[in-house]
């Protein structure tokens, strides 16, 4: 039996209001391409690809900001929990670093340029930048809990937008990212319990 193709419902920026995370009306995810390349035809409408790429750009900016914070804390943690936190933060920033590549390459596969500068990230990120003065170890843990929860919320808001457009690879990828961020936040939060 042949399964009927899922017809994607157009998701425009105005109809996606409240679904696609916005920050200050900053336009992200410029479309890429040239006259020499064929038009992208992967079964996802052009406008849907633009909306999805914008959401992914926001997740990428937050993930990169969280990566920088985690790496900074790895370098600057002190105190009686130094060894365990130093190692834990390294595992976490390594995972975050790898995920930035996956997010950026999905944006490119959708036909848009991935943001990749501090300037762009600072305009669209929701996760706050790392504090200038390194906080105490357990405050670092609190900051990272909040950061992971923020990235998870932003990604989770965007999953239905990708799914509605028929972009299962992006929806699946964002679901997997939520799993990682939720689990990491739980592990970090556990350190704060007495």
């Amino acid at each position: 039996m042949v399964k009927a193709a899922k017809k994607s419902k157009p998701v425009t920026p105005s109809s996606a209001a409240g679904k696609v995370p916005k920050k200050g009306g900053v336009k992200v995810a410029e479309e890429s391409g040239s006259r020499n390349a064929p038009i992208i035809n992967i079964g996802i409408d052009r406008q849907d690809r633009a909306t999805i790429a914008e959401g992914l750009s926001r997740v990428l900016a937050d993930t990169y900001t969280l990566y920088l914070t985690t790496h900074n804390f790895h370098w600057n943690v002190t105190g009686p929990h130094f060894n365990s936190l130093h190692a834990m933060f390294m595992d976490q920033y390594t995972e975050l670093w790898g995920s930035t590549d996956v997010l950026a390459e999905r944006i490119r596969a959708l036909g848009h340029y991935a943001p990749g500068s501090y300037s762009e990230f600072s305009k669209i990120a929701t996760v706050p930048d790392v504090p200038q003065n390194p906080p105490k170890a357990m405050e670092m843990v609190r900051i990272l809990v909040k950061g992971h929860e923020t990235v998870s919320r932003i990604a989770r808001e965007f999953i239905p937008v990708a799914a509605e457009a028929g972009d299962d690879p992006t929806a699946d990828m964002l679901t997997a990212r939520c799993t990682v961020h939720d689990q990491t936040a739980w592990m970090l939060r556990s350190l704060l319990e007495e």
Side-chain angles (χ1 to χ4, degrees), residues 55-82:
L56 286 172
S57 295
R58 294 178 190 286
V59 175
L60 174 60
D62 279 332
T63 301
Y64 197 87
T65 303
L66 184 57
Y67 155 75
L68 286 174
T69 300
T70 308
H71 208 152
N72 178 291
F73 289 173
H74 165 77
W75 291 328
N76 292 305
V77 68
T78 59
H81 302 289
F82 170 80

Side-chain angles (χ1 to χ4, degrees), residues 2-132:
V2 177
K3 195 175 185 180
K6 182 179 175 183
K7 181 164 168 78
S8 69
K9 184 174 158 185
V11 178
T12 61
S14 60
S15 71
K19 291 184 181 178
V20 177
K22 299 285 182 192
K23 184 178 180 198
V26 176
K27 182 167 174 50
V28 296
E30 292 293 326
E31 191 168 17
S32 65
S34 72
R35 287 190 220 167
N36 297 328
I39 294 173
I40 295 174
N41 185 11
I42 59 173
I44 303 170
D45 177 80
R46 180 180 180 188
Q47 184 58 48
D48 289 345
R49 287 188 289 106
T51 301
I52 294 163
E54 181 171 330
L56 286 172
S57 295
R58 294 178 190 286
V59 175
L60 174 60
D62 279 332
T63 301
Y64 197 87
T65 303
L66 184 57
Y67 155 75
L68 286 174
T69 300
T70 308
H71 208 152
N72 178 291
F73 289 173
H74 165 77
W75 291 328
N76 292 305
V77 68
T78 59
H81 302 289
F82 170 80
N83 283 333
S84 60
L85 290 178
H86 185 72
M88 178 187 279
F89 294 163
M90 184 171 75
D91 289 343
Q92 291 172 2
Y93 79 68
T94 301
E95 193 285 327
L96 288 164
W97 175 252
S99 71
T100 61
D101 200 51
V102 173
L103 290 162
E105 288 181 357
R106 184 64 191 158
I107 294 166
R108 293 297 295 134
L110 293 169
H112 291 264
Y113 291 113
S117 70
Y118 296 120
S119 172
E120 289 175 288
F121 288 154
S122 69
K123 290 176 187 171
I124 60 176
T126 306
V127 172
D129 197 6
V130 65
Q132 292 219 342

